[in-house]
Amino acid sequence: MAKTRPQHKSPKSKRKNKNSEKPQPNPAELYAQAISLLQTGQPEEALIIAQKLLKVVSPASTYTLASLPALSLLGEICLEIGDAEESLSYFSEAAKLDPDGIIPEEEGGGAEKFLWLAQLCQEGGKESVGWFEKGASVLRRDIGDFEGAANDEHSQLLLEEKKRRLANVLCGVTEVYMTDLSWEEDAEARCEALVTEALLVSPNNPEVLQTVASVRISQTRLEDARSALQRSMELWKDLPPEDVDVPDFPTRISLCRLLIEADLRDGALDVLERLVLEDDQSVEAWYLGGWCQYLNAEAQKEASDLSNGPVNGDQAALEEVMKSSRKWLLSSLKLYQQLDYEDERLGAHAKELVASLNNTLGPPPEDDEADDDDEWEDEEADEDHEMGTT
């Protein structure tokens, strides 16, 4: 009779099977890994890790407070990859778990999800204001807590950051009342109250001063608008681009639009020249630079007409401004085509301005388009010539 395997060895086999099981992923490590990938420009890879994190902390597909950090992170990652619908879904789930923003930010709570929902919500208008106000309430509460305990430099910096964020939220609400809710009877009064609070909370905030200027322009108080815009620029214009106190690129683009609207075109052009050095792929920066110089040329022509025509030097200077305007506009149109830019009104206006300039200057020579390849130059020159002769 053949010998059988001793029964006492089976526990060893069980231990071997038990030891062969994979350890459960560590949520803290997954979160740190996803954050690192997002911060180093790898949002698609970050998305995979963050989705894995959400499964680990929500094994039954039921979200709990433990799911908050993953949900908030996924909302941010989806924004980065351009999936606004998914981002809205994740932030909405986070808001359900922390409806009053009482969970600390480091645990996925706080105001941030409400502020994103204000920008992502489909209805806009009053719904957007509602989310902004939720975020503002959280920030006001945080500021109140900090003000009694900010007794060192680090705490003071955190307090100032909270105030800056609150002021920017108030500016966001102001923009809604100037656009979507401009028909409301008390829209102007609300705007005035909002910018007043924002100035009290963060008086040296460039974005706040720009919003003040926008409100003053809408009230046709141009001198007050110019004063606010100049104060805004003074805060950062001499700082290097990498300085944290320099407003982000979109904020400075908005600044340039306001400067042009307030007839501070030289200031706008100074900012735009700096912006295209920082990012020469910005359609809007090149367009605004061309538009700004076009307006300068129109102003020079009007001044010449009033003085019974230009002298030779003035005419040469005028042509240089017009040629420079055309260069900037052609650069914008080139990028508009390459990047499949979505702002059709901007593209149509840029083409209209180029056609007007071509009527005066004639079609651009090939070397009039800096950094363009020969094929683009020939194509664009033909297009502009056709527009100038129609």
Side-chain angles (χ1 to χ4, degrees), residues 11-76:
K12 183 177 179 181
S13 175
K14 289 180 181 179
R15 286 196 300 272
K16 184 176 180 181
N17 290 338
K18 185 177 180 180
N19 292 338
S20 67
E21 293 177 3
K22 292 183 179 179
Q24 186 76 358
N26 184 300
E29 291 177 0
L30 290 173
Y31 184 81
Q33 187 179 355
I35 287 285
S36 176
L37 289 167
L38 181 61
Q39 292 176 342
T40 54
Q42 303 174 74
E44 290 83 5
E45 292 82 355
L47 180 63
I48 295 170
I49 301 300
Q51 288 173 333
K52 185 177 182 180
L53 168 64
L54 186 60
K55 288 180 181 179
V56 170
V57 296
S58 313
S61 299
T62 301
Y63 299 141
T64 66
L65 289 179
S67 312
L68 260 178
L71 289 168
S72 296
L73 179 57
L74 280 163
E76 292 185 33

Side-chain angles (χ1 to χ4, degrees), residues 76 94 149 175 192 203 222 255 263 294 300 336 368 380 384:
E76 292 185 33
E175 291 297 330
E192 198 64 43
L222 285 184
L255 168 66
D263 291 330
Y294 182 92
Q300 288 183 35
Y336 184 96
D368 200 32
E380 192 66 37
D384 294 331

Side-chain angles (χ1 to χ4, degrees), residues 31 64-74 76 90-117 131 134-139 141-142 162 165:
Y31 184 81
T64 66
L65 289 179
S67 312
L68 260 178
L71 289 168
S72 296
L73 179 57
L74 280 163
E76 292 185 33
Y90 284 124
F91 283 128
S92 296
E93 292 296 335
K96 292 176 186 176
L97 293 171
D98 183 29
D100 297 316
I102 60 175
I103 304 299
E105 284 189 5
E106 56 269 21
E107 297 175 24
E112 200 67 20
K113 56 187 170 295
F114 303 133
L115 306 183
W116 281 121
L117 287 168
W131 287 119
K134 260 185 173 290
S137 295
V138 175
L139 290 168
R141 187 180 63 223
D142 291 347
K162 294 279 186 185
R165 288 174 65 192

Side-chain angles (χ1 to χ4, degrees), residues 117-319:
L117 287 168
Q119 299 174 68
L120 293 168
C121 65
Q122 296 178 349
E123 295 297 322
K126 290 186 177 181
E127 184 185 359
S128 182
V129 168
W131 287 119
F132 271 132
E133 288 179 344
K134 260 185 173 290
S137 295
V138 175
L139 290 168
R140 289 190 187 100
R141 187 180 63 223
D142 291 347
I143 289 169
D145 293 341
F146 266 99
E147 283 182 330
N151 50 13
D152 58 49
E153 185 177 351
H154 178 67
S155 298
Q156 192 62 40
L157 288 174
L158 289 176
L159 174 60
E160 291 303 317
E161 174 61 17
K162 294 279 186 185
K163 288 182 175 182
R164 183 193 65 79
R165 288 174 65 192
L166 173 58
N168 289 348
V169 171
L170 296 171
C171 291
V173 181
T174 304
E175 291 297 330
V176 176
Y177 275 107
M178 292 181 67
T179 52
D180 294 357
L181 299 180
S182 60
W183 48 268
E184 294 273 351
E185 288 185 6
D186 62 345
E188 184 175 350
R190 283 181 176 269
C191 288
E192 198 64 43
L194 288 161
V195 295
T196 298
E197 182 183 355
L199 280 170
L200 288 171
V201 171
S202 187
N204 294 319
N205 184 328
E207 187 170 339
V208 171
L209 291 166
Q210 286 179 216
T211 305
V212 171
S214 183
V215 172
R216 298 294 174 256
I217 288 172
S218 72
Q219 297 168 331
T220 64
R221 294 166 56 182
L222 285 184
E223 283 304 317
D224 290 337
R226 291 171 187 140
S227 176
L229 290 169
Q230 287 165 341
R231 283 175 58 201
S232 175
M233 292 177 62
E234 287 293 330
L235 293 170
W236 58 267
K237 69 175 186 177
D238 295 325
L239 299 175
E242 65 276 7
D243 194 289
V244 294
D245 290 327
V246 175
D248 62 20
F249 201 95
T251 299
R252 285 178 286 161
I253 286 287
S254 298
L255 168 66
C256 292
R257 286 189 173 276
L258 289 169
L259 288 167
I260 292 171
E261 198 169 353
D263 291 330
L264 294 174
R265 293 188 294 272
D266 289 345
L269 199 53
D270 287 343
V271 177
L272 288 162
E273 286 173 345
R274 178 168 170 168
L275 288 175
V276 295
L277 287 175
E278 293 178 27
D279 179 9
D280 62 1
Q281 298 298 297
S282 170
V283 173
E284 197 166 3
W286 287 110
Y287 159 75
L288 288 174
W291 172 226
C292 185
Q293 292 177 85
Y294 182 92
L295 291 174
N296 280 341
E298 291 297 298
Q300 288 183 35
K301 284 193 284 185
E302 185 177 342
S304 296
D305 291 343
L306 291 174
S307 60
N308 299 319
V311 297
N312 290 337
D314 291 340
Q315 183 62 32
L318 174 61
E319 288 186 6

